[in-house]
Amino acid sequence: MTLQRFGAFASFGCAATYLFGFAFLVTVLAPLGFGSSEIDVPAVVQFSVDQTGFMLLWNTVIYIVNALALAVLVVALHARLSLHTPSLAQVTQALGIIWATLVLGAGMIANVATEHTAQIGATDPDAAAALWEILHAVELGLGGGNEIAGGIWIGLVSIAGLKGRSLGKIAIALGLLTGLGGLATLVPAIGDIAGAVFGLGAIAWFIATGVALLSPPKG
């Protein structure tokens, strides 16, 4: 299997982790306030105690699995973009690896938060809530609460793809829109909306990019 094909499947994998995340975000986790600025921390603590395995699975899929697939995609896209924009391709690879590292770190922090919250929460819910809030803030800082690194990377990859249409028109257009959405998470007033735009846009972009990587590169 070629690197481009590996990259395509990795891109589809990234889309799948986002779909998994959104599906549970708007169903199972919605009553806890995930995805908004009003998280019910006591409810999260109790849920972590009762459903530790689910929370660990959730964090592992949306962060760790996503980060590993993302790393493969970054390398594959570097190889594709190097055909027309070698210098810019190197920059995108560096930024992509940084983003994958941040996502991986966020996942590890999230799992540690879940494990310790579940252990402490059974006997001291208040202490567990305080601990979870601290570790959750670290998780959000690494990448769970803003999409700056991802927005810059996706946007820059799409700009690089303009030359020679390395990724195709659809992937490029979606990437530019998604990149802007990621950068807009810098603005607190529209952070939630911008995050949704980035997340939904990223799903479409990952799929379109995977399809593009299955096609022979031009030039």
Side-chain angles (χ1 to χ4, degrees), residues 82-130:
S82 292
L83 295 173
H84 297 287
T85 56
S87 297
L88 190 54
Q90 289 183 327
V91 176
T92 64
Q93 184 178 42
L95 292 174
I97 293 300
I98 289 173
W99 185 32
T101 302
L102 290 173
V103 174
L104 184 63
M108 291 179 176
I109 292 293
N111 275 342
V112 168
T114 296
E115 291 170 355
H116 285 276
T117 297
Q119 291 172 1
I120 300 173
T123 56
D124 192 344
D126 291 337

Coordinates of all heavy atoms in Angstrom, one line a residue, residues 82-130:
S82 N 4.6 18.4 -1.7 CA 6.0 18.7 -2.1 C 6.2 18.7 -3.6 O 7.2 19.2 -4.1 CB 6.9 17.6 -1.5 OG 6.9 17.7 -0.1
L83 N 5.3 18.1 -4.4 CA 5.4 18.0 -5.8 C 5.4 19.4 -6.4 O 6.0 19.7 -7.5 CB 4.3 17.2 -6.4 CG 4.4 15.7 -6.0 CD1 3.1 15.0 -6.6 CD2 5.6 15.0 -6.6
H84 N 4.6 20.3 -5.8 CA 4.4 21.7 -6.4 C 4.9 22.8 -5.5 O 5.4 23.8 -6.0 CB 3.0 21.9 -6.7 CG 2.4 21.0 -7.7 ND1 2.7 21.1 -9.1 CD2 1.6 19.9 -7.6 CE1 2.1 20.1 -9.7 NE2 1.4 19.4 -8.9
T85 N 4.9 22.6 -4.2 CA 5.3 23.6 -3.2 C 6.1 23.0 -2.1 O 5.7 22.9 -1.0 CB 4.0 24.3 -2.6 OG1 3.2 23.3 -2.0 CG2 3.2 25.1 -3.6
P86 N 7.4 22.6 -2.4 CA 8.2 21.9 -1.5 C 8.5 22.7 -0.2 O 8.4 22.1 0.9 CB 9.5 21.7 -2.2 CG 9.5 22.6 -3.4 CD 8.0 22.8 -3.7
S87 N 8.7 24.0 -0.3 CA 9.0 24.8 0.9 C 7.8 24.9 1.8 O 7.9 24.7 3.0 CB 9.5 26.2 0.5 OG 10.7 26.1 -0.2
L88 N 6.7 25.2 1.2 CA 5.4 25.4 2.0 C 5.0 24.0 2.5 O 4.4 23.9 3.6 CB 4.3 26.0 1.1 CG 3.0 26.4 1.8 CD1 3.3 27.3 3.0 CD2 2.1 27.0 0.8
A89 N 5.3 23.0 1.8 CA 4.9 21.6 2.3 C 5.7 21.3 3.6 O 5.1 20.6 4.5 CB 5.3 20.6 1.2
Q90 N 6.9 21.7 3.7 CA 7.7 21.5 4.9 C 7.1 22.2 6.1 O 7.0 21.7 7.2 CB 9.1 21.9 4.7 CG 9.9 21.0 3.8 CD 11.4 21.5 3.6 OE1 11.7 22.6 3.7 NE2 12.3 20.5 3.5
V91 N 6.6 23.4 5.8 CA 6.0 24.2 6.9 C 4.7 23.5 7.4 O 4.4 23.4 8.6 CB 5.6 25.6 6.4 CG1 4.9 26.4 7.5 CG2 6.9 26.4 6.1
T92 N 3.9 23.0 6.4 CA 2.6 22.3 6.8 C 2.9 21.1 7.6 O 2.2 20.7 8.5 CB 1.8 22.0 5.5 OG1 2.5 21.1 4.7 CG2 1.5 23.2 4.7
Q93 N 4.0 20.4 7.2 CA 4.3 19.2 7.9 C 4.7 19.5 9.4 O 4.2 18.8 10.3 CB 5.5 18.4 7.3 CG 5.8 17.1 8.0 CD 6.9 16.3 7.3 OE1 7.9 16.9 6.9 NE2 6.8 15.0 7.1
A94 N 5.5 20.5 9.6 CA 5.9 20.9 10.9 C 4.6 21.3 11.8 O 4.5 20.9 12.9 CB 6.9 22.1 10.9
L95 N 3.8 22.1 11.2 CA 2.6 22.6 11.9 C 1.6 21.4 12.2 O 1.0 21.3 13.2 CB 1.8 23.7 11.1 CG 2.6 25.0 11.0 CD1 1.8 25.9 10.0 CD2 2.8 25.6 12.3
G96 N 1.5 20.5 11.2 CA 0.7 19.3 11.4 C 1.1 18.4 12.5 O 0.3 17.9 13.3
I97 N 2.4 18.2 12.6 CA 2.9 17.4 13.7 C 2.7 18.0 15.0 O 2.4 17.4 16.0 CB 4.4 17.1 13.4 CG1 4.6 16.2 12.2 CG2 5.1 16.4 14.7 CD1 3.9 14.8 12.3
I98 N 2.9 19.4 15.0 CA 2.6 20.1 16.3 C 1.1 19.9 16.7 O 0.8 19.6 17.9 CB 2.9 21.6 16.1 CG1 4.4 21.8 16.0 CG2 2.3 22.4 17.3 CD1 4.8 23.3 15.7
W99 N 0.2 20.0 15.8 CA -1.2 19.8 16.1 C -1.5 18.4 16.6 O -2.2 18.2 17.6 CB -2.1 20.1 14.9 CG -3.5 20.1 15.2 CD1 -4.1 20.4 16.3 CD2 -4.6 19.7 14.3 NE1 -5.5 20.3 16.2 CE2 -5.8 19.8 15.0 CE3 -4.6 19.3 12.9 CZ2 -7.0 19.6 14.4 CZ3 -5.8 19.0 12.4 CH2 -7.0 19.2 13.1
A100 N -0.9 17.4 15.9 CA -1.1 16.0 16.3 C -0.6 15.8 17.7 O -1.2 15.1 18.5 CB -0.4 15.1 15.3
T101 N 0.5 16.4 18.0 CA 1.1 16.3 19.4 C 0.2 16.9 20.4 O 0.0 16.3 21.5 CB 2.5 16.9 19.4 OG1 3.4 16.3 18.4 CG2 3.2 16.7 20.8
L102 N -0.3 18.1 20.1 CA -1.2 18.7 21.1 C -2.5 17.9 21.3 O -2.9 17.8 22.4 CB -1.6 20.1 20.5 CG -0.5 21.2 20.5 CD1 -1.0 22.4 19.8 CD2 -0.1 21.5 21.9
V103 N -3.0 17.3 20.2 CA -4.2 16.5 20.4 C -3.9 15.3 21.2 O -4.7 14.9 22.1 CB -4.8 16.1 19.0 CG1 -5.9 15.1 19.1 CG2 -5.2 17.4 18.2
L104 N -2.8 14.6 20.9 CA -2.4 13.5 21.7 C -2.2 13.8 23.2 O -2.7 13.1 24.1 CB -1.1 12.9 21.1 CG -0.6 11.6 21.8 CD1 -1.6 10.5 21.5 CD2 0.8 11.2 21.2
G105 N -1.6 14.9 23.4 CA -1.4 15.4 24.8 C -2.7 15.6 25.5 O -2.9 15.3 26.7
A106 N -3.7 16.3 24.8 CA -5.0 16.5 25.4 C -5.7 15.3 25.7 O -6.4 15.2 26.8 CB -5.8 17.3 24.4
G107 N -5.6 14.2 24.9 CA -6.2 13.0 25.2 C -5.6 12.3 26.4 O -6.4 11.7 27.2
M108 N -4.3 12.3 26.6 CA -3.7 11.7 27.7 C -4.1 12.4 29.0 O -4.4 11.8 30.0 CB -2.2 11.8 27.6 CG -1.6 10.9 26.5 SD 0.2 11.0 26.3 CE 0.4 9.7 25.0
I109 N -4.2 13.8 29.0 CA -4.6 14.5 30.1 C -6.1 14.2 30.4 O -6.5 14.0 31.6 CB -4.5 16.1 29.9 CG1 -3.0 16.5 29.8 CG2 -5.2 16.9 30.9 CD1 -2.3 16.3 31.1
A110 N -6.9 14.1 29.4 CA -8.3 13.8 29.6 C -8.5 12.5 30.2 O -9.4 12.3 31.1 CB -9.1 13.9 28.3
N111 N -7.7 11.5 29.8 CA -7.9 10.1 30.4 C -7.4 10.1 31.9 O -8.0 9.5 32.7 CB -7.1 9.1 29.6 CG -7.9 8.6 28.4 OD1 -9.1 8.7 28.4 ND2 -7.2 8.0 27.5
V112 N -6.3 10.8 32.2 CA -5.8 10.9 33.5 C -6.9 11.6 34.4 O -7.2 11.2 35.5 CB -4.5 11.7 33.6 CG1 -4.2 12.1 35.0 CG2 -3.4 10.9 33.0
A113 N -7.5 12.7 33.9 CA -8.6 13.4 34.6 C -9.7 12.5 34.9 O -10.3 12.5 36.0 CB -9.1 14.6 33.8
T114 N -10.1 11.6 33.9 CA -11.2 10.7 34.1 C -10.9 9.7 35.2 O -11.7 9.4 36.1 CB -11.6 10.0 32.8 OG1 -12.0 11.0 31.9 CG2 -12.6 8.9 33.0
E115 N -9.7 9.1 35.1 CA -9.3 8.0 36.0 C -9.3 8.6 37.5 O -9.8 7.9 38.4 CB -7.9 7.5 35.6 CG -7.9 6.7 34.3 CD -6.5 6.4 33.8 OE1 -5.6 6.8 34.5 OE2 -6.4 5.6 32.8
H116 N -8.6 9.7 37.7 CA -8.5 10.3 39.0 C -9.9 10.8 39.5 O -10.2 10.7 40.7 CB -7.5 11.4 39.1 CG -6.1 10.9 39.0 ND1 -5.4 10.5 40.1 CD2 -5.2 10.7 37.9 CE1 -4.2 10.1 39.8 NE2 -4.0 10.2 38.4
T117 N -10.7 11.3 38.7 CA -12.0 11.8 39.0 C -12.8 10.6 39.5 O -13.6 10.7 40.5 CB -12.7 12.5 37.9 OG1 -11.9 13.7 37.5 CG2 -14.1 13.0 38.3
A118 N -12.8 9.5 38.8 CA -13.6 8.4 39.1 C -13.1 7.8 40.5 O -13.9 7.3 41.3 CB -13.4 7.3 38.0
Q119 N -11.8 7.8 40.7 CA -11.3 7.2 42.0 C -11.7 8.1 43.2 O -12.1 7.6 44.2 CB -9.8 7.1 41.9 CG -9.3 6.1 40.9 CD -7.8 6.1 40.7 OE1 -7.0 6.9 41.3 NE2 -7.2 5.3 39.8
I120 N -11.5 9.4 43.0 CA -11.8 10.3 44.1 C -13.3 10.6 44.3 O -13.8 10.7 45.4 CB -11.0 11.6 44.0 CG1 -9.5 11.4 43.9 CG2 -11.4 12.6 45.1 CD1 -8.7 12.6 43.5
G121 N -14.0 10.6 43.2 CA -15.4 11.0 43.2 C -16.3 10.0 44.0 O -17.3 10.5 44.4
A122 N -15.9 8.8 44.1 CA -16.7 7.8 44.8 C -16.8 8.2 46.3 O -17.8 7.8 47.0 CB -16.2 6.4 44.7
T123 N -15.8 8.9 46.8 CA -15.8 9.2 48.3 C -15.8 10.7 48.6 O -16.3 11.1 49.6 CB -14.6 8.6 48.9 OG1 -13.4 9.0 48.3 CG2 -14.6 7.0 48.9
D124 N -15.3 11.5 47.6 CA -15.2 12.9 47.9 C -15.5 13.7 46.6 O -14.6 14.1 45.9 CB -13.8 13.3 48.4 CG -13.7 14.7 48.9 OD1 -14.6 15.5 48.6 OD2 -12.7 15.0 49.6
P125 N -16.8 13.8 46.3 CA -17.2 14.5 45.0 C -16.7 15.9 44.8 O -16.4 16.3 43.7 CB -18.7 14.4 45.1 CG -19.1 13.3 46.0 CD -18.0 13.3 47.0
D126 N -16.6 16.7 45.9 CA -16.2 18.0 45.8 C -14.7 18.1 45.4 O -14.3 18.9 44.5 CB -16.4 18.8 47.1 CG -17.8 19.0 47.5 OD1 -18.6 19.0 46.5 OD2 -18.1 19.1 48.7
A127 N -13.9 17.3 46.0 CA -12.4 17.2 45.6 C -12.3 16.8 44.2 O -11.4 17.3 43.5 CB -11.7 16.3 46.6
A128 N -13.1 15.8 43.8 CA -13.0 15.3 42.5 C -13.4 16.3 41.5 O -12.8 16.5 40.4 CB -13.9 14.1 42.3
A129 N -14.4 17.1 41.8 CA -14.9 18.2 40.9 C -13.8 19.2 40.7 O -13.5 19.7 39.6 CB -16.1 18.9 41.4
A130 N -13.1 19.6 41.8 CA -12.0 20.6 41.7 C -10.9 20.1 40.9 O -10.3 20.8 40.1 CB -11.5 20.9 43.2

